[in-house]
Structures are given as structure tokens and as C-alpha cells.
Amino acid sequence: MLLNEKSKFTDREIIEKGSRALIKELGYSGFLRFIRYAEGISKEDYLKLENEIFEGMSLDEIYDNAKKHWESKER
């Protein structure tokens, strides 16, 4: 096994960094679809996960994040 500074991350840090990378590349919807397929999550679990990710965000914030994501893809 190769050891480097990145191996010093806690499991939680790895999950957070991986989630951010997936969201950056796939957007929120793509991230949720990836998680659902990767873990075999049912539709109900998907909706629960979606609620957790968007918790505390207004519709405007969700829209603004989605818009920024799509605009960054156009470059």
C-alpha cells in the first residue's frame, strides 16, 4: 500500500471530499443518482438522501447552484 499525505484523512473527510468532487463533476442530481446506483438505494431512500442534501436550502439557492454548475460546464 502506498502511503501519502492524503491517506491521513479520516473516513468522514474522505466521504465529504469525494461527495464534493462528485457534486462538482455531476451536479447534485447526478451525485444522487450515482449514490443510488452505487449503493442500491431504493427510491424512498433516494428521496430521503435528497432531502438531507438540500436541507436548509431555499429553492433559489438550489437553482443558483444548479445554474453555476451548468454554466461551468459550458466553458
Side-chain angles (χ1 to χ4, degrees):
M1 174 190 271
L2 296 174
L3 295 177
N4 61 36
E5 286 195 25
K6 293 186 184 200
S7 67
K8 295 178 184 176
F9 294 130
T10 66
D11 288 347
R12 181 164 180 85
E13 289 171 324
I14 293 291
I15 291 168
E16 288 174 2
K17 288 178 181 294
S19 296
R20 281 195 297 268
L22 286 170
I23 290 168
K24 181 179 179 184
E25 183 64 29
L26 303 173
Y28 287 104
S29 178
F31 167 72
L32 292 171
R33 286 176 55 203
F34 172 82
I35 296 298
R36 185 180 68 183
Y37 290 120
E39 295 184 0
I41 296 174
S42 71
K43 184 119 178 135
E44 293 78 23
D45 290 340
Y46 170 79
L47 294 174
K48 180 181 174 190
L49 182 60
E50 182 179 43
N51 286 337
E52 289 174 8
I53 288 175
F54 296 120
E55 182 179 357
M57 293 178 74
S58 70
L59 186 56
D60 288 334
E61 289 172 308
I62 294 169
Y63 173 81
D64 289 342
N65 286 338
K67 184 178 176 185
K68 287 177 192 172
H69 171 75
W70 286 108
E71 287 173 350
S72 71
K73 292 289 186 185
E74 292 175 358
R75 294 181 194 163

